[in-house]
Amino acid sequence: MWDSCDGMASTYGWDEPTVDLAFTGGGTDAQVVAHLKSALRKLGWTFDTANSAPTGPWYWHRTVARNVQGTVQLLGGSAFSPSDWDLQATTPPAVHPVTGC
């Protein structure tokens, strides 16, 4: 989306492309995370152990273009009944990002 944080013409640019997937169930936290680790690894994503907590959130990263880092974040889990999950993938825009934020 073409956007600006402050409405000034000089700060307009592209927001981060984002994919957001919400789902319910899928097993225990460990089962869902293990499944995503396997599936995302096959797509070139690396699990980020340094920033992921045992009870979430959980993170993956991947270089998507010209050393631009994409991020996948998994939120939710068994703390909710039923288990609600939110999987979000984002990457910086390829050209002319929003500035002034």
Side-chain angles (χ1 to χ4, degrees):
M1 184 168 93
W2 189 251
D3 199 6
S4 171
C5 297
D6 57 13
M8 296 180 66
S10 64
T11 64
Y12 272 87
W14 294 106
D15 285 335
E16 293 184 341
T18 302
V19 175
D20 192 10
L21 173 67
F23 61 98
T24 302
T28 66
D29 293 359
Q31 290 170 325
V32 171
V33 171
H35 178 75
L36 282 169
K37 279 182 180 178
S38 175
L40 290 171
R41 184 179 330 112
K42 291 175 185 175
L43 296 172
W45 293 86
T46 302
F47 184 67
D48 188 345
T49 55
N51 291 311
S52 298
T55 58
W58 299 269
Y59 296 94
W60 289 260
H61 62 272
R62 176 181 174 189
T63 301
V64 292
R66 295 186 319 256
N67 295 324
V68 174
Q69 191 86 344
T71 302
V72 169
Q73 172 182 277
L74 177 65
L75 303 166
S78 61
F80 303 93
S81 184
S83 297
D84 285 330
W85 299 94
D86 187 32
L87 185 67
Q88 301 171 340
T90 61
T91 187
V95 294
H96 196 72
V98 172
T99 60
C101 300

